[in-house]
Amino acid sequence: MHFGIGLASSEAADFPVLNVSILRDNTHNLTIEQVSGSSFQRQFQQVSSLNLNFGLSPDTYWLKVSVRQTANKSNSWYLEVDYPPLDTVELYSPTPAGGWMVQKSGDKILWDEQVIHYRKPLFHLELADASWHTYYLKVNTQGTVQIPLRLQATGKMITEIVRAEFVEGLFYGAMMLMVLYNLFLFFSLKEKSYLYYCFFILSNTIVLAGLQGQLSYYIFQQSWWYDRAFMSVFSATVFWALIFAISFLQIRNLAPKLFLALSALAVINGVACLLAYILPYQVSANGVAVLVAIASLTAWWSGVVAWRRGNTSARFFVLAWTCYLISTTLISLRNFGLITDYVHLENMMQIGSVLEALLLSLALADRINIYRAEKIKAQQEALQASLENEQLVREQNQMLEVRIKERTQEISDQNEELLSQQEIIEELNRQLILYSEDLEEEVIKRTAEVTKTNKRLVQQNSRLERFAYIVSHNLRGPIAQILGVIGILDNNNLTSHNQKCFTHLGQSSQRLDMVIKDLNQTLVYRNIANYQFEPVLVKEAVEKVLEKMQSVILEEKVQIHNHLHDHDKVQVIKPYLLSILDHLISNAIKYRSEERPVEIHFTSRKQGNQFILTIADNGLGIDLEKYQDKIFSLYQRFHLHQEGRGVGLYMVKTQVEAMEGQVEVNSIVGQGTAFRLYLKACVSSAVPAYLKSPSA
């Protein structure tokens, strides 16, 4: 099939006739010698259109182009592949010597290797006569395989290039004006939507420049950078479009779920910008195509929802995205090979982008009008409020003047009253000063008297203690002599009456000796100056007393429950504490119940600066209702079936109070008794060295 190439039917006879057939190479290894050989000629398939579109195909394509000139008007022609983003395009022309001359073009071909420097693949054909001239065109690319062929004479080609460059210059100039205009609005209004819109226009313009071959022609000379930068910018375009949609539509408040969807898509496209430099081009291209479709539909629907929920500026947004969706949908269908009409879709992206930019600019302008109307309304409301406030201020000033006059008169009256009161207060102050002087003299006098009284009491206590020592010491000698005489007297020859008298005399002497001993012991314990306070481990003191009484404990089968902690310390007089423990443990064993084994429990707790030691037993108990005031008195006994003098609990209370502590008792008859000792806890809570772990 032959095709005449021309722009008008009147010129068709002047254009050469093209005969195009195609061969698909899925091995990528065929050479020009193999393809031009007779064995492969039958594999070429005739095509019915010069706008070839194979979609995203991984194969290499060989085009056999046969050209015959129909008129001798011009021998110089140019074959143009009107689709810039192709990796490599090679035209093989036969030479008179029987070989092949190759002309290279495409994104992966450096300028030094290209015969003609142009953003689209362009090859020069020299048709010397009217016979058929056969050329082979080899096309290989990772993206969409589109091969729209154009054959133009030299003059016509220059005119077309100038026209296309002029139109694209207008397009890029308009887009830059849009950027500058919205940047001006951003710096004037401080509205972030305008800045996001500028980023969107810039990235979208770069994408369009890439599709038109401007990036590879003017900037990139290495295909690796071109492919990845192009896909990265494509993802960035979608990213800024979504950010702009979120900000402009105020979707966070109007539709929170759509806000989350747009935010998630923005993050995904942001990540895709970086992954474009890592993933293969084919994977990035397919992924970006899917993301563009999803993001465009989501942004369009967000505009519809925002419009329906009160954002009137969203109507321009919806129209803009509708134009953009139509253009991108058609281009995507073309890229996937579903639409082959390249001529009508060639400028669809530019047209859609311009319409979108204009409509979005109208949307932003409408936002300005809304802001202006809101500002005017706010100013009017502020002016009305200001007038109302002014009237209110005038009324309040009038009321305030009246109140000031009234208050001034009140203050004047109060000042007069204060002056009179001040005179009274001054007179009272003078009297207070005189009274204070008298009181100070009285305090000094009373203090001196108290000091003298204290000295007399100290001297009297000292004399009483010395008297008690003297009496006990002086009585010890005679009592010892009496006991000695009673011991050596022969009472065998006494009458029964004298025998009874002698026995009573011995018993009375022994009781008097015991009283004197108790008095001496009490005086010794009351004289605290003979001892010093020291830190004592409570558990260690209890175990020491229990060890001394080990034989009795074993004999009576006493059960000891020691719940004290190893590091518990008290600040006490150690002999006093040992004596207290000895008395209480001895009493617990002595006054045990015959119905159950003896149990003694030792527990403790801290309360502020006090250490509370509890010693409880399950013995006979004490009738507190009967003996409440006599428990700690001297020579008080509560169980007469056991020997005792009634001195132990008196000594316990005396020793505890000597250590500035307290003792309490809680008892139930037949169940047991518990004594609580309130002692001074040690200030330092450090753990003893022998209790520390090796790693401490």
Side-chain angles (χ1 to χ4, degrees), residues 4 28 87 136 139 250 286 424 461-462 502 559:
H28 305 285
D87 291 345
Y136 289 92
V139 179
Q250 299 176 345
N286 292 331
I424 297 173
N461 288 334
S462 178
F502 183 79
Q559 299 179 14

Side-chain angles (χ1 to χ4, degrees), residues 379-566:
Q379 289 176 348
Q380 292 175 349
E381 293 176 352
L383 179 60
Q384 182 65 28
S386 177
L387 294 175
E388 294 176 356
N389 289 335
E390 185 178 355
Q391 178 65 25
L392 182 62
V393 168
R394 283 198 297 269
E395 295 175 356
Q396 289 179 347
N397 286 337
Q398 294 174 357
M399 295 176 60
L400 186 60
E401 289 177 359
V402 175
R403 293 291 303 276
I404 288 174
K405 291 179 181 179
E406 296 176 353
R407 187 60 179 164
T408 302
Q409 184 62 36
E410 292 177 0
I411 292 174
S412 177
D413 296 339
Q414 291 176 355
N415 285 336
E416 293 178 359
E417 185 178 355
L418 287 173
L419 288 174
S420 61
Q421 291 179 355
Q422 184 177 0
E423 294 176 356
I424 297 173
I425 291 172
E426 289 177 354
E427 179 63 25
L428 292 174
N429 285 335
R430 285 194 296 271
Q431 294 178 4
L432 284 173
I433 291 172
L434 295 175
Y435 179 75
S436 298
E437 293 176 353
D438 295 340
L439 184 62
E440 184 177 357
E441 293 177 356
E442 183 69 19
V443 168
I444 294 173
K445 180 178 178 182
R446 293 291 180 87
T447 303
E449 293 177 356
V450 170
T451 302
K452 292 179 181 179
T453 302
N454 288 337
K455 288 182 179 179
R456 287 197 299 271
L457 289 174
V458 171
Q459 293 173 356
Q460 185 176 357
N461 288 334
S462 178
R463 287 194 297 271
L464 287 174
E465 288 183 358
R466 285 197 300 272
F467 175 75
Y469 278 117
I470 291 171
V471 169
S472 62
H473 182 269
N474 291 338
L475 290 177
R476 287 284 294 169
I479 291 300
Q481 292 176 1
I482 292 173
L483 291 174
V485 170
I486 291 173
I488 61 177
L489 282 177
D490 185 9
N491 56 356
N492 293 324
N493 298 322
L494 296 177
T495 65
S496 60
H497 176 72
N498 291 337
Q499 183 70 34
K500 292 180 181 179
C501 292
F502 183 79
T503 302
H504 289 306
L505 178 63
Q507 292 176 351
S508 299
S509 299
Q510 289 179 354
R511 284 198 296 272
L512 180 60
D513 183 56
M514 290 176 61
V515 169
I516 293 172
K517 288 181 180 179
D518 293 339
L519 177 61
N520 280 331
Q521 189 175 6
T522 302
L523 291 173
V524 170
Y525 283 133
R526 284 190 177 274
N527 190 6
I528 194 172
N530 296 331
Y531 301 98
Q532 291 182 352
F533 282 83
E534 60 180 311
V536 177
L537 288 168
V538 179
K539 188 173 183 179
E540 183 179 293
V542 171
E543 291 176 348
K544 185 174 182 180
V545 174
L546 293 174
E547 183 180 357
K548 185 179 71 172
M549 305 173 66
Q550 187 67 26
S551 59
V552 178
I553 291 173
L554 293 176
E555 180 181 352
E556 301 295 338
K557 299 180 180 179
V558 179
Q559 299 179 14
I560 303 297
H561 302 278
N562 193 344
H563 303 289
L564 302 175
H565 300 291
D566 294 338

Side-chain angles (χ1 to χ4, degrees), residues 164-356:
E165 295 295 329
F166 178 75
V167 172
E168 291 182 1
L170 290 177
F171 168 74
Y172 294 126
M175 301 304 284
M176 291 303 103
L177 286 176
M178 289 287 183
V179 172
L180 294 176
Y181 171 69
N182 285 281
L183 273 179
F184 172 76
L185 292 177
F186 166 70
F187 288 114
S188 299
L189 303 177
K190 306 301 181 183
E191 176 65 32
K192 293 181 180 180
S193 298
Y194 296 96
L195 181 62
Y196 300 149
Y197 181 57
C198 291
F199 285 133
F200 168 66
I201 294 177
L202 280 174
S203 55
N204 190 46
T205 303
I206 294 173
V207 170
L208 294 175
L211 293 175
Q212 294 299 320
Q214 302 290 353
L215 293 179
S216 61
Y217 183 69
Y218 292 107
I219 301 176
F220 294 99
Q221 292 298 306
Q222 294 292 337
S223 179
W224 187 92
W225 280 105
Y226 172 73
D227 292 341
R228 284 149 181 79
F230 179 72
M231 298 313 301
S232 178
V233 174
F234 214 135
S235 299
T237 302
V238 182
F239 172 81
W240 288 116
L242 293 170
I243 296 298
F244 169 72
I246 293 172
S247 176
F248 177 78
L249 297 175
Q250 299 176 345
I251 202 69
R252 180 195 291 267
N253 299 324
L254 296 177
K257 291 183 179 180
L258 281 175
F259 166 73
L260 294 176
L262 291 174
S263 301
L265 286 171
V267 172
I268 293 172
N269 279 278
V271 174
C273 290
L274 303 176
L275 293 180
Y277 295 95
I278 302 173
L279 299 176
Y281 176 82
Q282 194 77 18
V283 176
S284 296
N286 292 331
V288 169
V290 174
L291 289 176
V292 168
I294 297 175
S296 300
L297 290 173
T298 307
W300 180 84
W301 180 247
S302 299
V304 173
V305 173
W307 186 5
R308 293 172 59 184
R309 296 186 181 180
N311 189 346
T312 57
S313 300
R315 63 187 186 278
F316 295 104
F317 182 89
V318 173
L319 292 175
W321 273 101
T322 301
C323 296
Y324 190 75
L325 278 174
I326 292 173
S327 62
T328 54
T329 301
L330 292 175
I331 293 299
S332 298
L333 293 175
R334 186 197 68 179
N335 291 342
F336 284 103
L338 301 177
I339 297 178
T340 58
D341 190 356
Y342 181 84
V343 176
H344 296 89
L345 299 178
E346 181 178 4
N347 298 318
M348 182 58 68
M349 283 294 291
Q350 289 90 333
I351 296 172
S353 297
V354 170
L355 288 175
E356 182 191 31

Side-chain angles (χ1 to χ4, degrees), residues 43-55:
Q43 298 183 25
F44 278 92
Q45 298 178 357
Q46 198 76 23
V47 297
S48 59
S49 173
L50 295 183
N51 295 319
L52 303 176
N53 188 348
F54 302 100

